[in-house]
Amino acid sequence: MKHNVNTVFFYMITMAVTILYISCTPSDANGIKQSASFTGKSWKLHSLSVAPAIDWDVDGKKETDILAKMEDCEKDDLLLLRNDNTIVRNAGKLKCDQDDEQEKETGSWSYDKASKKLTIKEDNDAQVLNVVESSGNRFVVTYTWKATNGTSHLMTAVYN
């Protein structure tokens, strides 16, 4: 009798551990939920740079520090990539337009862990970002875009 109780107990523990593991493991790219170290946190843009330099504000001077050219009301905005694959933008303390919502769901995201590609879908447009670094307090992404003259530029965004 004691042998049977131990066997049943062993199988119950094994099943419990298996169920806990499955319920805590994020779904794959085809599932609804994904998880990465950058999810579930509000990120503030710390720096935004471009290489090679470009005349960002059309004043005749080429710049690499794009954050310096942004409005103060944009610099304090927050980005949240929720675990349910939705994107939320928060206007921060300084709103650019007082009629804007403080917080707004703006789109969806997906992440391919193997290639470290983060796809952001907002305003009927998709953008693929390369995740360079992702830790508890720092999130760095890059993406390449072509200017109207055909020059490729590497944008680097650092969030804290």
Side-chain angles (χ1 to χ4, degrees):
M1 178 80 170
K2 186 172 186 171
H3 177 69
N4 288 341
V5 171
N6 287 339
T7 303
V8 170
F9 182 73
F10 172 77
Y11 285 117
M12 287 176 59
I13 294 296
T14 303
M15 286 182 72
V17 169
T18 302
I19 290 169
L20 283 172
Y21 176 76
I22 291 170
S23 67
C24 293
T25 302
S27 301
D28 61 19
N30 297 327
I32 293 174
K33 291 186 178 183
Q34 295 181 11
S35 183
S37 60
F38 52 79
T39 62
K41 300 172 186 167
S42 292
W43 297 101
K44 182 179 174 187
L45 189 61
H46 177 72
S47 70
L48 180 61
S49 60
V50 63
I54 190 170
D55 185 4
W56 189 262
D57 55 1
V58 196
D59 66 353
K61 300 176 199 166
K62 291 186 176 186
E63 296 94 16
T64 57
D65 184 0
I66 304 306
L67 185 66
K69 297 296 179 181
M70 293 172 61
E71 298 288 328
D72 287 341
C73 63
E74 295 171 316
K75 291 178 183 179
D76 73 342
D77 292 358
L78 300 174
L79 168 69
L80 171 62
L81 302 173
R82 288 186 178 152
N83 291 330
D84 66 356
N85 299 87
T86 58
I87 300 169
V88 174
R89 302 267 182 185
N90 185 300
K93 292 180 182 178
L94 300 173
K95 287 184 178 181
C96 293
D97 183 347
Q98 294 307 312
D99 293 333
D100 286 345
E101 296 177 55
Q102 183 65 41
E103 196 168 84
K104 183 179 179 181
E105 188 174 306
T106 60
S108 63
W109 66 272
S110 63
Y111 181 61
D112 182 344
K113 189 175 182 179
S115 66
K116 296 186 177 183
K117 302 280 186 201
L118 173 64
T119 302
I120 302 284
K121 294 180 182 175
E122 293 180 293
D123 301 323
N124 297 319
D125 190 33
Q127 186 173 40
V128 179
L129 310 173
N130 299 302
V131 177
V132 176
E133 181 183 339
S134 177
S135 64
N137 59 0
R138 188 171 156 97
F139 178 44
V140 181
V141 295
T142 63
Y143 58 97
T144 303
W145 62 275
K146 284 191 178 191
T148 54
N149 67 3
T151 304
S152 290
H153 296 271
L154 181 67
M155 300 287 293
T156 302
V158 178
Y159 293 89
N160 292 340

